[in-house]
Structures are given as structure tokens and as C-alpha cells.
Amino acid sequence: MIDRVRIRAVGGSGGNGFVGFRREKFVPRGGPDGGDGGNGGSVTVVTDQSVRTLKEMGRRRLYQAGRGGHGSGSRRHGRRGDDVMLRVPVGTEVRLVGDGKLVADLDREGAMAIVARGGLGGRGNTWFTRAEYRAPRIAQRGQVGEELEVQLDLKLLADVGIVGMPNAGKSTLLRALSAARPRVADYAFTTLEPMLGVVEV
């Protein structure tokens, strides 16, 4: 069972603002019309009841969200970067690698936490127009997204735990009391992963 993984989450960078000016036949002194850059995507962790372990998460080391699109003329804004949704089991803790600070404790279905936020998009030159500065030729660059290394720990939530020597009948007892179906055989260490069962009292 995979119950602890370390990943690097990188938010997408924001798109750059655009420097542009209107060029229309019947519009004198068209003025600036540069659009804004789009915001970068974020890396988000969300719980899903259908996911049991962190096995799928451990297959990759880097999770990076999409970059925001650049602005363009006619005040067209860049598109927002694609988000990355990481589905984890209920009972997953997210901690920063290094100081061990708790980022989120996802203890219920549908709980969500943003691990790495995307950068904001830069403003186009329309934002910098002033009465004394009517033709600005400047625009902002997009901000860089957050980059964090986090550790995901899966807590198995149970009211009662069965502990004993190998071949003591723990799995057999669990099969008899609940609908769980752990593997049972006549040799030691047949059950290699913790099993959960539900018992109505």
C-alpha cells in the first residue's frame, strides 16, 4: 500500500499583457487597446471516495499547471491556464517538505485544497493611460506561479484496529465480521496491506 508520496507542484505562470493601438479608419486618435494576459492554472488536491491509496500519485514526481495565454489587440485577454486536479483518498494530509507545516487535512469527501497557485496575468497598456500619457507603450509581464514540494500522507481512519501475530486469524475474523475480503492462506504475511471493513453495531 502506498500511503506516503512526495511531489513537486508548480502553478502556471500568468500571460503577458499586450501593447497595442487601435487602427480604425473613422476613429481618430484610436488610443491603446492592449489586452491583459490570462492567469496561470493552479495545482489542486481533492478527495475522491473511489481512490483508495496514493499509488497513482506516486507514478509522477512533477505536477505542473498550464500557463496563461498572452493578451492581444482589441482588448482581447489571454485564456486562463489549465488547472491540475489531483484526486486523493479521504484522510490525506498535505504537508510542506522541510518544515513539515500542515497545508491541509482532507478528512471528508469533496474536500479541496490549492497546493500551488498560478501567477496573475500581466496588464495590457490600456491600464496605463493617463490624461498626460495617452499613448503608453508599456505592459506588465505575467507573474510566476508558486512552486512547492509537498508530502501527502494517507491516514487510515478506523475506530477499531486488529493487531496480532502472523497467522493468528486477523483476516479471517475481518472476513467474518464485515464485507471486506482480505486474502487468507495458510502461510505467514498473507495480508501485506491494511484492510478496512465496515461493521454495523
Side-chain angles (χ1 to χ4, degrees):
M1 177 181 215
I2 306 298
D3 61 352
R4 173 174 289 178
V5 296
R6 286 188 177 185
I7 61 171
R8 191 155 61 96
V10 182
S13 298
N16 298 330
F18 187 77
V19 177
F21 296 91
R22 295 175 67 183
R23 296 285 188 268
E24 298 180 33
K25 184 174 182 181
F26 299 106
V27 183
R29 302 177 186 176
D33 70 345
D36 302 342
N39 296 335
S42 300
V43 180
T44 305
V45 178
V46 60
T47 56
D48 188 343
Q49 288 280 14
S50 64
V51 180
R52 296 299 181 188
T53 72
L54 298 173
K55 182 177 180 180
E56 292 300 323
M57 296 287 302
R59 296 183 187 275
R60 287 175 55 187
R61 174 75 175 156
L62 174 66
Y63 291 89
Q64 186 167 10
R67 179 190 178 94
H70 301 311
S72 57
S74 300
R75 302 195 181 193
R76 290 193 294 266
H77 298 332
R79 69 174 183 84
R80 177 183 168 80
D82 295 330
D83 293 329
V84 172
M85 298 286 289
L86 307 180
R87 303 195 176 277
V88 298
V90 176
T92 300
E93 283 186 345
V94 184
R95 294 183 180 273
L96 293 178
V97 172
D99 60 3
K101 179 182 177 183
L102 181 65
V103 176
D105 186 0
L106 308 174
D107 57 356
R108 66 184 188 281
E109 171 70 8
M112 184 180 300
I114 298 177
V115 177
R117 296 182 182 277
L120 297 176
R123 292 179 170 180
N125 66 334
T126 54
W127 286 89
F128 303 100
T129 306
R130 301 290 184 270
E132 68 280 1
Y133 189 35
R134 299 184 180 182
R137 296 183 178 274
I138 57 174
Q140 285 181 333
R141 297 179 63 87
Q143 295 180 0
V144 178
E146 290 182 334
E147 181 174 348
L148 297 173
E149 189 171 5
V150 296
Q151 178 172 294
L152 305 178
D153 290 316
L154 174 59
K155 302 181 299 181
L156 292 180
L157 307 177
D159 297 317
V160 176
I162 304 175
V163 182
M165 297 294 290
N167 273 17
K170 302 182 295 295
S171 296
T172 304
L173 178 61
L174 184 62
R175 288 174 67 101
L177 295 178
S178 70
R181 289 293 171 259
R183 187 176 177 186
V184 175
D186 59 353
Y187 55 86
F189 302 108
T190 309
T191 305
L192 299 178
E193 298 180 357
M195 300 295 295
L196 288 175
V198 177
V199 179
E200 293 186 4
V201 241

